[in-house]
Every structure is written in structure tokens, then in C-alpha cells.
Amino acid sequence: MIDWTRVEELNSEIGAEDFAEVVELFLEEVEEVIERLKSISDISHLEEDLHFLKGSALNLGFRAFSTFCQAGETAAANGQADTVNLVEILECYDASKSEFTSRLETMRAA
């Protein structure tokens, strides 16, 4: 679900303090889009939202979530936004976030 190698690389590249800021910013920005998707009534921006989520997810190692976003983005780009399973995408995000924050806390405690 999470590409922990990517997480560790990013943490190593930018340092623990900056990594914590990146994680905080990631969660804030992604949560904003997630909330919009939860109450989506206009799917005209779905492709853009999923593209943003996909890129953000890849940067922080949310591999499975990124894969779901990519599939949804592709469907939306092909005029099939109404077939995108937002519930599946949102559930994947919740599970990914839970795994990520749990393991991150364990890593920081060590």
C-alpha cells in the first residue's frame, strides 16, 4: 500500500524536520481535495482532482492510492467520469493514511 522505500528516501533527502513539514502539507492539501470529492456534485473537475491526488500520492509513497487515482483520472479523461468509483478511492486513501501515520509514529519513536 505504501512504498516505504520512497518514504525513507524522501526523509533522507530533505531531513527529518523538512520531511515532517512535507507530510503536514501533503495531508492538508490532499484532505482538502478528499473533502471535495466526498460531496462531489459536479464531476467536471474530477480528472484534475484525481491528477493532483495521484501526483501528491506518488511523491509521498502512497502507491495503491496513486494507482486508484490514475485509473480514475484515465476514465475521466476518456469521458467516463461517471464510472469512477470514488468510494473505492476514498477508502484506499483512508487505509493508506492510517498505515502511513501509524508506521511513521513508530519510526519516530525508534
Side-chain angles (χ1 to χ4, degrees), residues 48-61:
E48 295 166 21
D49 285 342
L50 292 175
H51 178 79
F52 168 78
L53 291 174
K54 175 192 72 179
S56 297
L58 281 175
N59 286 332
L60 205 55

Side-chain angles (χ1 to χ4, degrees), residues 66-84:
S66 176
T67 300
F68 281 113
C69 290
Q70 173 65 58
E73 177 188 1
T74 300
N78 291 325
Q80 299 171 333
D82 58 327
T83 67
V84 175

Side-chain angles (χ1 to χ4, degrees), residues 21-92:
E21 289 179 31
V22 167
V23 169
E24 183 178 336
L25 183 61
F26 166 82
L27 292 174
E28 285 175 17
E29 291 179 350
V30 168
E31 291 285 336
E32 183 179 309
V33 177
I34 292 293
E35 288 305 311
R36 188 167 55 240
L37 292 179
K38 285 180 179 178
S39 61
I40 195 166
S41 60
D42 176 11
I43 60 173
S44 65
H45 297 287
L46 184 60
E47 179 183 353
E48 295 166 21
D49 285 342
L50 292 175
H51 178 79
F52 168 78
L53 291 174
K54 175 192 72 179
S56 297
L58 281 175
N59 286 332
L60 205 55
F62 281 52
R63 183 182 55 231
F65 177 58
S66 176
T67 300
F68 281 113
C69 290
Q70 173 65 58
E73 177 188 1
T74 300
N78 291 325
Q80 299 171 333
D82 58 327
T83 67
V84 175
N85 188 340
L86 287 177
V87 170
E88 184 176 57
I89 291 171
L90 297 173
E91 286 175 353
C92 184

